[in-house]
């Protein structure tokens, strides 16, 4: 049996294996099309009877190599890249859902995803029930319906920093014959591998820690290959019955454990086209090469900052699972014993205006609509990313109206704390 490489080696060398005389570094295949010498060769590609490249909307060598690296990091059988994390979560769901389907979803998810599921999917005819992920299994089970087709949650919620009990969610999903989809953006596969705990499909906004430098948008889906679609064939006809758009091909019969990703690529990407560009995939790959080095630094810095904030008299509350006494500390130690991520949620004593004034006084810590890259940044979700939600919806999503999201970077932690200190002192 071939030895399984460790995470750090996969980060550096996974996905791209050059042959003799080929580039040592993954090239940018900046081409929309690919040449073949006969019409028959091209036809076999269009019929999914052969593997290869013919149009970069569906597959591109640069993108495929990076997707393979991410799949290896997550312990899945296959992966695909998309244009954004939003596209990844959309495709992950609609690949197995259609009008009339239902999804059970944790309420403590990123505001954009909350809106995608709660508003936009409803326009597609897909209903979503939001649940408190901390409820008991008996309470959560009541949300399932005969038409439920998936369960969804974030390993670490954005921005509330709630830790998902992945095993509990997996048990519930599987007991109802549906897959568990987990967004692993914040933890990354360096700190958490949801598939090991029972998740079936993993999604990412690669824009965040995977890229790490805030230079390229992207998303990814990884399939574990473990969910038995045929055992629940009546629920997933898109995978288990003939696809008329491919001459009656049945994905599970022809592609086995690769059925889910093959369908998402050949059907959804073909029709909807949310593909990642080869240039962005190239930049993403550069970020992945140092992911195993950066994540420990993010966590170390965030731990120091969180401990400092906890002891600061101007801070009203703080949520960071790395802190002993945090509500999610025990779950974090179970699923992410090496650390969670660099994101901290906290609130200040005083009004919303006091929080805004504090952020405006920061010097090198920037106010940006981003999170989880090398540079420390800050955001007030209620005023920015989640401003479309009411205060009631904010609380349902685990976001306090006074919550400040601090994304701790990899700078010298002493400078980060000094900047926070002068801004708090006013």
């Amino acid at each position: 049996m071939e030895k399984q490489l460790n995470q750090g080696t996969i980060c550096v060398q996974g996905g791209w294996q050059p042959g003799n005389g080929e580039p040592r570094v993954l090239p940018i295949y900046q081409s929309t099309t690919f040449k073949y010498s006969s019409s028959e060769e091209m036809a076999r590609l269009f019929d999914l009877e052969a593997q290869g490249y013919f149009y970069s909307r569906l597959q591109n060598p640069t993108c495929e190599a990076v997707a393979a690296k991410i799949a290896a990091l997550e312990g899945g059988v296959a992966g695909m890249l998309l244009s954004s994390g939003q596209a990844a979560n959309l495709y992950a769901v609609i690949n197995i859902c259609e009008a009339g389907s239902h999804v059970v979803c944790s309420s403590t998810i990123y505001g954009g995803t909350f809106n995608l599921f709660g508003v936009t999917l409803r326009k597609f005819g897909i209903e979503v029930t939001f649940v408190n992920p901390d409820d008991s299994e008996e309470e959560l089970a009541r949300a399932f319906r005969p038409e439920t087709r998936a369960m969804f949650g974030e390993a670490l919620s954005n921005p509330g920093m709630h830790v998902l009990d992945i095993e509990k969610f997996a048990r519930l999903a599987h007991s109802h014959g549906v897959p568990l989809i987990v967004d692993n953006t914040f933890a990354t596969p360096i700190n958490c591998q949801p598939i090991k705990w029972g998740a079936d499909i993993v999604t990412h906004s690669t824009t965040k820690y995977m890229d790490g430098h805030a230079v390229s948008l992207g998303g990814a889906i990884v399939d574990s290959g473990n969910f038995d679609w045929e055992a629940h064939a009546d629920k997933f006809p898109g995978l288990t019955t003939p696809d008329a758009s491919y001459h009656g091909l049945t994905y599970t019969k022809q592609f086995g454990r690769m059925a889910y990703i093959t369908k998402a690529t050949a059907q959804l990407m073909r029709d909807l086209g949310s593909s990642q560009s080869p240039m962005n995939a190239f930049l993403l790959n550069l970020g992945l090469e140092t992911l195993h080095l950066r994540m420990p630094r993010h966590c170390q810095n965030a731990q120091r900052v969180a401990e400092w904030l906890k002891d600061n008299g101007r801070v009203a509350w703080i949520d960071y699972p790395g802190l002993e006494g945090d509500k999610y500390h025990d779950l974090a130690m179970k699923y992410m014993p090496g650390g969670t991520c660099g994101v901290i949620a906290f609130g200040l004593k005083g009004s919303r205006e006091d929080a805004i004034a504090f952020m405006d006084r920061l010097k090198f810590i920037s106010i940006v609509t981003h999170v989880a890259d090398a540079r420390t940044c800050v955001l007030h979700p209620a005023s920015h990313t989640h401003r479309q939600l009411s205060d009631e919806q904010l609380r349902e999503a685990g976001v306090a109206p006074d919550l400040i999201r601090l994304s701790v970077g990899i700078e010298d932690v002493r400078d980060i704390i000094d900047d926070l200190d002068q801004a708090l002192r006013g």
Side-chain angles (χ1 to χ4, degrees):
M1 180 182 291
E2 186 176 349
K3 180 183 181 294
Q4 176 64 45
L5 297 175
N6 292 301
Q7 294 289 78
T9 306
I10 296 172
C11 281
V12 178
Q13 296 210 22
W16 173 247
Q17 300 301 323
N20 288 337
E22 292 184 338
R24 183 72 179 87
V25 175
L26 174 66
I28 307 170
Y29 285 87
Q30 194 66 48
S31 180
T32 60
T33 55
F34 301 85
K35 174 187 174 295
Y36 288 87
S37 57
S38 74
S39 177
E40 177 60 25
E41 288 177 301
M42 182 72 79
R44 285 175 56 79
L45 292 170
F46 274 94
D47 285 342
L48 305 184
E49 294 175 354
Q51 291 185 331
Y53 311 100
F54 54 91
Y55 194 57
S56 280
R57 185 174 77 239
L58 281 88
Q59 283 185 306
N60 173 281
T62 307
C63 296
E64 186 173 51
V66 180
K69 176 180 285 191
I70 294 171
L73 287 169
E74 285 288 7
V77 297
M80 64 184 292
L81 298 188
L82 299 98
S83 57
S84 68
Q86 283 289 85
N89 284 333
L90 173 64
Y91 277 48
V93 170
I94 65 174
N95 197 38
I96 51 176
C97 293
E98 57 189 27
S101 295
H102 173 254
V103 176
V104 177
C105 181
S106 167
S107 62
T108 58
I109 59 174
Y110 166 58
T113 312
F114 192 97
N115 195 69
L116 168 66
F117 286 4
V119 178
T120 303
L121 282 186
R122 186 167 286 121
K123 296 176 182 178
F124 287 23
I126 299 170
E127 293 293 322
V128 178
T129 297
F130 292 101
V131 295
N132 182 343
D134 297 332
D135 283 348
S136 69
E137 291 189 43
E138 292 73 21
E139 291 172 304
L140 292 169
R142 298 190 191 110
F144 285 82
R145 306 175 186 172
E147 60 272 20
T148 302
R149 297 294 178 264
M151 195 175 195
F152 183 95
E154 292 178 351
L156 278 171
S157 71
N158 176 11
M161 293 302 294
H162 299 182
V163 180
L164 185 72
D165 191 339
I166 301 170
E167 279 194 313
K168 179 177 77 172
F169 264 50
R171 278 195 304 271
L172 278 162
H174 297 158
S175 69
H176 290 84
V178 301
L180 171 62
I181 305 171
V182 173
D183 185 324
N184 197 31
T185 296
F186 269 13
T188 82
I190 300 304
N191 288 342
C192 181
Q193 292 179 299
I195 289 171
K196 288 184 176 178
W197 300 99
D200 301 289
I201 297 152
V202 176
T203 63
H204 285 276
S205 169
T206 63
T207 314
K208 309 304 190 299
Y209 286 120
M210 283 189 168
D211 168 74
H213 303 90
V215 295
S216 63
L217 290 171
I221 303 174
V222 173
D223 181 21
S224 70
N226 295 333
F227 191 82
D228 191 344
W229 307 105
E230 288 281 355
H232 309 282
D234 58 322
K235 293 183 177 181
F236 306 104
L239 286 162
T240 61
T241 61
D243 182 351
S245 69
Y246 279 108
H247 309 296
L249 170 152
T250 300
Y251 293 99
T252 50
K253 288 183 171 56
Q254 183 147 339
F255 300 103
R257 297 182 74 197
M258 303 285 285
Y260 178 89
I261 288 293
T262 302
K263 177 180 179 291
T265 303
Q267 188 187 85
L268 295 184
M269 194 65 81
R270 175 198 64 191
D271 295 344
L272 302 180
S274 305
S275 52
Q276 187 168 145
S277 74
M279 183 67 203
N280 276 18
F282 175 82
L283 293 170
L284 167 59
N285 191 55
L286 294 180
L288 288 169
E289 289 182 354
T290 60
L291 183 63
H292 63 299
L293 302 176
R294 290 184 285 106
M295 289 309 295
R297 178 61 176 257
H298 281 290
C299 293
Q300 291 161 11
N301 278 0
Q303 186 71 27
R304 288 270 304 276
V305 171
E307 290 169 357
W308 182 84
L309 287 170
K310 185 179 180 180
D311 294 334
N312 191 290
R314 296 177 176 85
V315 175
W317 59 270
I318 180 169
D319 287 336
Y320 185 69
L323 291 172
E324 289 190 16
D326 185 272
K327 179 180 179 181
Y328 295 99
H329 182 72
D330 289 345
L331 280 178
M333 292 302 99
K334 174 181 177 178
Y335 294 119
M336 307 160 199
T340 54
C341 71
V343 181
I344 298 169
F346 69 99
L348 300 181
K349 295 175 181 177
S351 64
R352 178 180 290 198
E353 287 67 31
D354 292 323
I356 293 171
F358 153 74
M359 293 192 297
D360 288 347
R361 286 193 294 268
L362 291 166
K363 298 187 183 302
F364 80 84
I365 298 174
S366 300
I367 302 171
V368 299
T369 310
H370 198 246
V371 67
D373 66 62
R375 301 163 189 82
T376 301
C377 57
V378 69
L379 191 76
H380 183 234
S383 299
H384 305 129
T385 56
H386 291 60
R387 68 178 298 117
Q388 75 275 18
L389 303 182
S390 66
D391 280 1
E392 181 181 352
Q393 287 175 315
L394 284 168
R395 293 187 182 93
E396 183 182 358
V399 181
D402 63 338
L403 184 151
I404 295 170
R405 184 183 72 185
L406 177 67
S407 179
V408 180
I410 58 175
E411 306 96 340
D412 191 304
V413 70
R414 294 169 294 185
D415 294 324
I416 297 170
I417 290 173
D418 285 348
D419 199 12
L420 292 169
D421 186 41
Q422 65 81 24
L424 284 171
R425 285 187 284 105

